[in-house]
Amino acid sequence: MSKVFYVTTPIYYVNAEPHIGHAYTTVMADFLARFHRLDGYDSYFLTGTDEHGEKIYQAAEKADTDPQSFCDRISQRFSEAWRVLDISNDDFIRTTEERHKAVVRRVLETVHASGDIYYDEYAGIYCVGCERFLTDKELVDGKCPDHLIEPENRREGNYFFRMEKYRQWLRDHIRDNPSFIRPEGYKNEVLGMLAESIGDLSISRPKDRVPWGIELPWDSDHVTYVWFDALINYISALGFSDDQRYTDYWPATQHMIGKDILKAHAVFWPTMLKAAGLPIYQHLNVGGFLMGHDGQKMSKSLGNVVDPFQLAEKFGPDAVRYYLLKDTVYGQDSSVGEHLLIDRYNADLANDLGNLLSRARALIGRHMDGVLPTPEQQAGDQEVIAEGTALIGRVRPLVGELRIFEALETVMQFVRMLNRYFNDEAPWKLAKDPEQHGRLGTVLYNCVEGLRIVSVLMEPAMPGKARQVRIDLGLGDFTFADIEEWGGAMPGTKMPAEAEILFPKTETEKPKQQQTPKKKKQGPKKEPDVREEKGEISIDDFFNVQLRVAQVTAAEKVEKADKLLKLTLDLGDEIRTVVSGIAEWYQPEDLPGTKVVLVANLKPAKLRGIISEGMILAADDGQGNLTLVSPAQDIAIGAEVR
Ligand code: MSP
């Protein structure tokens, strides 16, 4: 296979449980791995855990356990976390595995033999959080800006890697390969670092100080850990150097990292590889940080911590993945919160994608015996067809440039176009005219075919739900090669009769309401909440009410009920019966054809023996005048009122 793609995440420290930051980087890498797999690449995806070093040793001591058992436990938590989020890594590397340690020793030996590692006494300021010596310039108010702790003064005998020697070479490489580090801002940041001396890199610690590392092959009193250990995972996992995977994948490497470990990946790692006589990676992709919904760094005390695993339990892994990919700009910091996820979920997934699927399914079930009809395309279908087949060509370069949210938005725009097509073609109307049966079949076919293309393009972001879309339509799996042309959905395909709602609408969490009882208990003097007094509701409460445009197709008086009319309403994808108290103001014969606004998600109620499925809106001036609420201008039946 000629097209090869190798993507890695950072290997995560096992001194903390998996959190949203880890999930974000891993989901991003998984998206790319899946995208390339579907695009015909031999795609290999690596993640894992970083298990040596002082802070892990200290964390194990604190937990009163030996370091290896401690690492085993937390590393397992990471593996489990990735199963929860449907991460498709091909391998999971741990730095305490022998396969990794052996490669670290080999690389160390090579660099040592070439004279690029030397021993020296070093005195400097050391941050345990970063596990490296810092320079004075890196401090902010005397503290490490990433870990907000004062570094320690240290003097000890260390082995050093002659990193400075490779500075000019690295500068030239970055300048000659403008997309080596992306997005561009980070490339410039690195060039800034390289404009001055970068010094040499301390790569070892005396073993009597920190025993939890890999012994240096030439000096058993010293161990290496963290960067000279951890970075090598990217090649040790490939079976460096005689395994075919190393030969195949290493030249196509894309590292995904967060901005906090830029220097280690952009400066330490390429110079280490160069010194070892190895080719360097292709791209370093640098992500921004996820912040709390208030834009602040997440912290328990601020109550803005987002737990992706709890969210996945509540909304499913696909919703979490989609949200992280769609609501962040890669490379920039982004605010995240549960209510933001819910808004995104309701808008894109429940309303746009889920609704289209259920409407298309409902009509095919009702009018086509659940069998996908054969289309007879007309001029009016060409726009949708052209857009659908052009989609992969539009999405591919966006993903290539890591403009992931734009890529997903491009797909969602097509979903919205399909919804418009559905509304404009009004297949529920076509269904009423036997002569239009062919046209009805064509419109429904195009919706299904559009959904097929969408599902394949959405698969890297939402593997489970994307497949579910196709299962609900009776379709199998496809690759990107299968969506370059219209017509991959085979006429005659039988849809399953039953399908669950793909994305049931969900409610935003209501922290204020949960706090209300507590407030009341605080004492009688407290002013009542003004908003409660006025009967105000939150925007989320409002969004929970589904309002849709419906057309009255029939109206009749309800027997022995002077005030009530029984209305038959057409919503486009379904017909409803509604009993309404408007008989005083409207004659039944005046109503057919009128467009009204229906509260569509009201629980059905029995009125005079008739099941009423919703309520229609009317304006009442309190002085005996009442008028039905209608859209000011004509709009398709079924349109949402927002
Ligand atoms: N073990 C090192 C990496 C070695 S790679 C050879 C390490 N581990 S870590 O557990 O601290 O994970 C760091 C990575 O987690 C960051 O680079 C980033 O990808 C991710 N994130 C951690 N917190 C984050 C946010 N709040 N937001 C986004 N990602 C962040 O460093």
Side-chain angles (χ1 to χ4, degrees):
M1 201 179 282
S2 60
K3 297 200 296 182
V4 178
F5 182 75
Y6 173 43
V7 66
T8 68
T9 71
I11 46 172
Y12 302 110
Y13 285 133
V14 289
N15 63 333
E17 295 275 323
H19 58 66
I20 185 101
H22 304 135
Y24 177 54
T25 312
T26 309
V27 165
M28 200 50 93
D30 190 54
F31 174 90
L32 292 178
R34 288 179 182 274
F35 190 93
H36 284 84
R37 256 177 237 139
L38 283 166
D39 209 10
Y41 282 73
D42 176 3
S43 163
Y44 199 77
F45 172 19
L46 175 70
T47 188
T49 43
D50 189 356
E51 308 188 1
H52 290 127
E54 201 167 332
K55 61 182 169 189
I56 288 156
Y57 191 69
Q58 286 169 357
E61 269 187 339
K62 220 171 136 190
D64 217 8
T65 167
D66 69 284
Q68 189 61 58
S69 317
F70 180 80
C71 291
D72 291 349
R73 183 164 61 80
I74 310 281
S75 181
Q76 180 66 22
R77 296 275 301 125
F78 275 92
S79 303
E80 286 163 9
W82 303 149
R83 298 293 76 83
V84 170
L85 287 178
D86 214 352
I87 301 298
S88 65
N89 51 302
D90 295 288
D91 196 358
F92 187 100
I93 182 92
R94 300 181 54 189
T95 53
T96 52
E97 287 176 90
E98 193 44 45
R99 62 169 174 154
H100 170 73
K101 293 196 258 185
V103 176
V104 172
R105 283 194 288 265
R106 272 177 56 201
V107 174
L108 278 168
E109 262 167 354
T110 309
V111 181
H112 186 239
S114 75
D116 277 346
I117 290 178
Y118 64 95
Y119 184 80
D120 200 5
E121 283 272 314
Y122 188 79
I125 46 172
Y126 189 84
C127 172
V128 182
C130 296
E131 292 279 25
R132 64 181 177 90
F133 284 99
L134 303 183
T135 61
D136 286 332
K137 268 194 275 170
E138 287 179 273
L139 303 187
V140 176
D141 297 331
K143 290 182 178 165
C144 161
D146 284 339
H147 298 95
L148 303 177
I149 46 173
E150 278 180 25
E152 300 165 19
N153 285 310
R154 282 195 182 177
R155 167 180 287 279
E156 58 188 23
N158 283 183
Y159 283 92
F160 286 86
F161 161 54
R162 291 187 200 283
M163 190 162 71
E164 171 66 20
K165 178 176 160 189
Y166 297 99
R167 178 163 66 98
Q168 194 51 47
W169 160 80
L170 182 57
R171 277 179 97 179
D172 292 344
H173 181 83
I174 295 173
R175 285 198 185 125
D176 295 345
N177 298 276
S179 65
F180 178 60
I181 300 170
R182 356 181 247 193
E184 200 172 0
Y186 295 108
K187 178 189 84 176
N188 296 335
E189 200 176 318
V190 174
L191 284 174
M193 292 176 199
L194 295 174
E196 298 170 23
S197 163
I198 49 172
D200 290 342
L201 179 67
S202 155
I203 62 157
S204 72
R205 300 289 177 272
K207 203 171 169 185
D208 54 6
R209 183 159 158 58
V210 187
W212 194 235
I214 302 171
E215 241 176 47
L216 299 184
W218 62 89
D219 186 345
S220 57
D221 289 340
H222 289 258
V223 292
T224 190
Y225 63 83
V226 185
W227 298 111
F228 217 99
D229 164 12
L231 289 161
I232 290 173
N233 90 86
Y234 300 131
I235 57 172
S236 68
L238 295 180
F240 173 80
S241 59
D242 37 19
D243 194 296
Q244 192 60 36
R245 285 171 308 153
Y246 173 72
T247 317
D248 290 347
Y249 298 130
W250 181 245
T253 303
Q254 302 226 9
H255 294 310
M256 310 293 292
I257 60 161
K259 62 180 185 177
D260 54 332
I261 51 177
L262 176 63
K263 186 170 182 183
H265 282 78
V267 180
F268 304 175
W269 183 219
T271 53
M272 280 165 62
L273 286 163
K274 180 74 180 161
L278 301 175
I280 60 174
Y281 55 82
Q282 198 182 12
H283 291 296
L284 180 63
N285 304 317
V286 190
F289 259 42
L290 297 187
M291 316 299 272
H293 60 87
D294 46 7
Q296 312 252 38
K297 202 170 171 178
M298 282 184 213
S299 84
K300 282 197 183 124
S301 56
L302 288 175
N304 61 357
V305 175
V306 177
D307 181 345
F309 309 103
Q310 271 174 17
L311 289 182
E313 220 169 84
K314 243 169 145 173
F315 306 106
D318 288 301
V320 177
R321 294 169 58 107
Y322 180 77
Y323 169 64
L324 290 177
L325 295 165
K326 180 84 192 298
D327 261 31
T328 60
V329 181
Y330 191 70
Q332 294 177 19
D333 292 351
S334 310
S335 296
V336 291
E338 181 169 332
H339 60 292
L340 299 169
L341 179 149
I342 293 173
D343 289 349
R344 172 65 55 212
Y345 173 98
N346 282 340
D348 287 11
L349 303 181
N351 284 349
D352 290 341
L353 181 56
N355 260 354
L356 180 65
L357 175 70
S358 59
R359 292 164 92 190
R361 266 186 54 84
L363 292 183
I364 294 174
R366 201 173 304 151
H367 304 293
M368 301 285 156
D369 291 330
V371 175
L372 191 62
T374 304
E376 301 154 9
Q377 310 292 8
Q378 289 178 4
D381 305 319
Q382 291 318 309
E383 203 191 340
V384 162
I385 294 175
E387 191 57 30
T389 46
L391 219 47
I392 177 63
R394 284 197 223 294
V395 166
R396 202 181 269 125
L398 291 171
V399 172
E401 290 172 29
L402 299 171
R403 291 157 64 185
I404 311 295
F405 89 93
E406 289 168 74
L408 293 174
E409 177 55 19
T410 304
V411 181
M412 281 313 302
Q413 275 170 8
F414 179 61
V415 172
R416 292 193 280 270
M417 179 187 218
L418 284 173
N419 272 307
R420 280 197 303 277
Y421 172 78
F422 189 93
N423 287 338
D424 293 348
E425 297 296 327
W428 60 94
K429 276 192 192 157
L430 299 172
K432 288 181 193 143
D433 181 354
E435 287 195 0
Q436 296 276 24
H437 194 77
R439 182 65 197 145
L440 170 66
T442 301
V443 171
L444 293 176
Y445 178 87
N446 287 336
C447 289
V448 169
E449 174 61 2
L451 279 166
R452 180 188 74 92
I453 291 177
V454 166
S455 79
V456 180
L457 283 164
M458 281 293 181
E459 195 167 318
M462 299 189 289
K465 292 291 184 183
R467 276 188 213 117
Q468 193 58 49
V469 168
R470 294 196 298 271
I471 290 170
D472 291 353
L473 295 171
L475 302 171
D477 286 341
F478 299 90
T479 68
F480 291 163
D482 306 318
I483 57 170
E484 278 167 358
E485 275 173 35
W486 198 257
M490 281 303 131
T493 302
K494 177 94 181 136
M495 273 176 1
E498 301 291 329
E500 284 184 8
I501 296 176
L502 190 64
F503 296 106
K505 269 217 171 174
T506 184
E507 289 178 20
T508 310
E509 95 267 45
K510 293 168 186 145
K512 274 184 199 135
Q513 285 179 5
Q514 280 159 14
Q515 282 163 14
T516 312
K518 267 196 212 146
K519 273 190 194 164
K520 282 184 184 158
K521 271 186 216 153
Q522 276 170 0
K525 280 187 198 151
K526 204 144 176 63
E527 291 283 323
D529 187 328
V530 183
R531 284 161 306 166
E532 274 177 24
E533 268 202 339
K534 283 205 277 178
E536 283 184 1
I537 58 167
S538 74
I539 187 133
D540 304 309
D541 289 335
F542 173 69
F543 280 145
N544 286 333
V545 181
Q546 262 184 41
L547 299 172
R548 288 179 70 188
V549 173
Q551 188 162 39
V552 182
T553 55
E556 59 187 88
K557 290 204 156 137
V558 176
E559 263 180 48
K560 295 185 209 149
D562 297 347
K563 296 187 174 160
L564 299 181
L565 290 186
K566 178 183 158 194
L567 309 177
T568 306
L569 300 181
D570 186 350
L571 266 114
D573 45 0
E574 59 179 311
I575 303 294
R576 299 256 188 123
T577 300
V578 166
V579 177
S580 179
I582 55 170
E584 245 178 88
W585 294 275
Y586 289 92
Q587 295 303 317
E589 56 274 20
D590 294 339
L591 286 170
T594 307
K595 283 188 176 159
V596 292
V597 174
L598 173 76
V599 181
N601 60 342
L602 204 62
K603 257 199 188 128
K606 212 172 196 178
L607 293 172
R608 303 274 162 169
I610 305 165
I611 307 269
S612 179
E613 306 162 297
M615 254 165 56
I616 56 170
L617 300 187
D620 181 352
D621 67 1
Q623 296 170 18
N625 300 309
L626 181 140
T627 180
L628 286 171
V629 172
S630 277
Q633 269 141 28
D634 197 28
I635 189 154
I637 302 172
E640 284 210 30
V641 180
R642 307 183 193 201

